[in-house]
Amino acid sequence: MGSDARGEFLCVFKTLTDGVKDDLRTRFDLPEEAHAYILRSMEYNVPHGKLNRGLTVVQFARDFYAAKGQTASDEVIFQASVLGWCIEYLQAFFLVADDIMDASITRRGQPCFYKLPEIGLKAVNDSIVLEALLYEILRKHFRSAQCYQDIFDLFHEITFTTSVGQLLDLTSQKEQGDVDLSTFTEANLVRIYKYKTAYYSFYLPVALGMHLCGIKDAELFDTAKDICIDMGVLFQSQDDYIDCFGDPKTTGKIGTDIEDNKCTWLVVEALKVASPSEKTLLEDNYGRPDEAKVAVVKKLYESLELPAKFVAHESEYHARLVSKIDAVEGQMPTGTYHFLLKKIFKRSS
């Protein structure tokens, strides 16, 4: 899927935005300032990421019909694009709220929305509006579709799952200066990855494509979930690595996991091989908003050869996923899985 597909996808965003403008004027007696505020939030927060989640739904529709020797109609591609943008609205809702909770500074190469002086904590309500717009768009374009109830339920299910994952992530963090290394276990880490990231970033776009194309086989949905959760675990471990060792000019985000006392792939792996004195070093420096202490932790990671271990970890997951994808049978097109895997393997942002 090249730049033309991305451009076409962005054109659908403009169509949906124009529809939201009209709907707001029809349904609400709002001053012009309020209209402008909502539209600015949409434009600032929704369309500026990689758009991989949304484009995956479109890719699935193309792959499904191609596997039958057909070409997906313009109507199907539009419907897939609408569902894709619904995911991007969900992503925007999550990210606006997440940035506030994590006290993040930048997102996608620009200040986090709440960091804009004229926005501040109004962004809490803005995140709620972004989620509500998802369902307005979904209802407008899918209300009469046979798959509407399944799609509606799926969005609610995944939103709940992701919010539980965020809860696990937040409650894994102790207060600054209160580091409990015993909580940084692989089981806790994978649980956070699974619920916070894997379901909405990977399973949701694939499952939406399956519902849109009329796939009903429960075993195929289970297989999709299994593959997508593994992808989510790989993806989130990459995020942890990039947060520490990535270049903010490339990532568009300043990493804060160490000072935020987060349970990450790096700290879990460090604890597996650290000596007693190195664990003490972690206890003394992890989870503290001090550049010098953060530097100590990063230096420890390097001395424990975690960058090399991460390369091996990434390759192991890639091989596991290729094997699972190759084993898929039935009417499920596997091209979408390869599309996703190609997008994330050895990524730097």
Side-chain angles (χ1 to χ4, degrees):
M1 185 176 287
S3 57
D4 287 347
R6 181 184 174 89
E8 292 169 4
F9 188 59
L10 285 166
C11 285
V12 175
F13 176 74
K14 184 180 184 308
T15 299
L16 297 178
T17 303
D18 290 343
V20 169
K21 287 181 186 178
D22 293 340
D23 292 344
L24 285 173
R25 294 190 184 283
T26 301
R27 293 183 58 190
F28 300 101
D29 178 21
L30 296 178
E32 193 59 37
E33 182 181 357
H35 283 284
Y37 186 98
I38 293 172
L39 293 172
R40 183 194 180 193
S41 174
M42 292 162 56
E43 294 282 357
Y44 195 93
N45 294 302
V46 179
H48 301 297
K50 299 185 189 74
L51 308 181
N52 288 340
R53 295 167 182 83
L55 287 167
T56 297
V57 188
V58 181
Q59 183 69 37
F60 187 95
R62 294 186 189 281
D63 289 342
F64 179 82
Y65 283 92
K68 299 196 297 181
Q70 302 172 9
T71 300
S73 67
D74 290 344
E75 181 183 1
V76 167
I77 295 302
F78 177 77
Q79 289 176 321
S81 298
V82 171
L83 291 177
W85 280 114
C86 285
I87 301 177
E88 296 298 332
Y89 269 88
L90 184 68
Q91 163 83 336
F93 157 54
F94 288 149
L95 294 186
V96 171
D98 185 69
D99 286 340
I100 296 169
M101 288 181 270
D102 287 350
S104 297
I105 307 299
T106 58
R107 170 73 67 180
R108 296 170 173 172
Q110 59 185 3
C112 296
F113 195 54
Y114 84 99
K115 278 291 185 181
L116 299 179
E118 68 277 23
I119 302 298
L121 290 181
K122 292 195 295 290
V124 173
N125 189 65
D126 298 329
S127 72
I128 297 169
V129 172
L130 289 169
E131 184 196 21
L133 286 170
L134 177 175
Y135 292 103
E136 290 298 300
I137 291 168
L138 184 64
R139 182 178 59 161
K140 179 175 181 178
H141 293 277
F142 280 88
R143 192 174 192 174
S144 61
Q146 188 174 5
C147 60
Y148 176 64
Q149 190 63 55
D150 287 333
I151 288 173
F152 183 88
D153 289 345
L154 181 63
F155 268 110
H156 275 289
E157 175 189 340
I158 297 298
T159 301
F160 182 40
T161 300
T162 307
S163 64
V164 169
Q166 177 72 348
L167 173 82
L168 292 173
D169 188 28
L170 292 169
T171 54
S172 74
Q173 303 167 234
K174 306 299 181 183
E175 295 298 323
Q176 287 181 349
D178 180 16
V179 179
D180 182 2
L181 298 181
S182 68
T183 65
F184 296 153
T185 66
E186 187 163 2
N188 286 341
L189 183 70
V190 171
R191 191 180 295 113
I192 293 168
Y193 285 177
K194 177 180 175 180
Y195 296 126
K196 181 183 177 183
T197 299
Y199 276 94
Y200 96 90
S201 293
F202 294 92
Y203 178 63
L204 176 60
V206 172
L208 285 174
M210 294 171 74
H211 284 304
L212 178 64
C213 292
I215 294 176
K216 301 293 186 183
D217 189 334
E219 288 188 11
L220 288 177
F221 280 92
D222 288 341
T223 299
K225 191 175 294 184
D226 179 54
I227 292 172
C228 290
I229 286 173
D230 267 3
M231 283 195 187
V233 170
L234 171 59
F235 180 86
Q236 194 59 50
S237 64
Q238 290 171 323
D239 253 20
D240 291 349
Y241 183 83
I242 291 167
D243 184 275
C244 180
F245 292 113
D247 181 354
K249 293 179 182 177
T250 301
T251 66
K253 187 175 187 293
I254 299 170
T256 60
D257 284 353
I258 293 173
E259 48 265 64
D260 288 344
N261 201 13
K262 286 210 168 186
C263 180
T264 69
W265 183 88
L266 290 162
V267 73
V268 168
E269 290 299 311
L271 289 169
K272 289 180 182 179
V273 296
S275 67
S277 62
E278 288 167 335
K279 289 180 180 178
T280 298
L281 197 65
L282 269 176
E283 286 178 335
D284 292 343
N285 292 278
Y286 202 78
R288 292 165 174 81
D290 181 313
E291 287 186 14
K293 291 183 181 295
V294 170
V296 168
V297 175
K298 289 185 178 182
K299 186 176 180 180
L300 176 61
Y301 287 166
E302 289 170 345
S303 71
L304 295 173
E305 300 182 344
L306 293 190
K309 290 179 187 296
F310 180 77
V311 172
H313 162 79
E314 192 174 33
S315 295
E316 176 192 339
Y317 258 84
H318 182 269
R320 180 193 304 182
L321 282 161
V322 169
S323 178
K324 286 187 175 184
I325 294 167
D326 288 346
V328 173
E329 298 178 349
Q331 64 181 135
M332 179 73 181
T334 58
T336 303
Y337 292 136
H338 288 294
F339 167 81
L340 281 168
L341 189 55
K342 184 178 179 180
K343 287 286 186 183
I344 67 173
F345 187 51
K346 292 191 180 298
R347 69 188 181 95
S348 59
S349 64

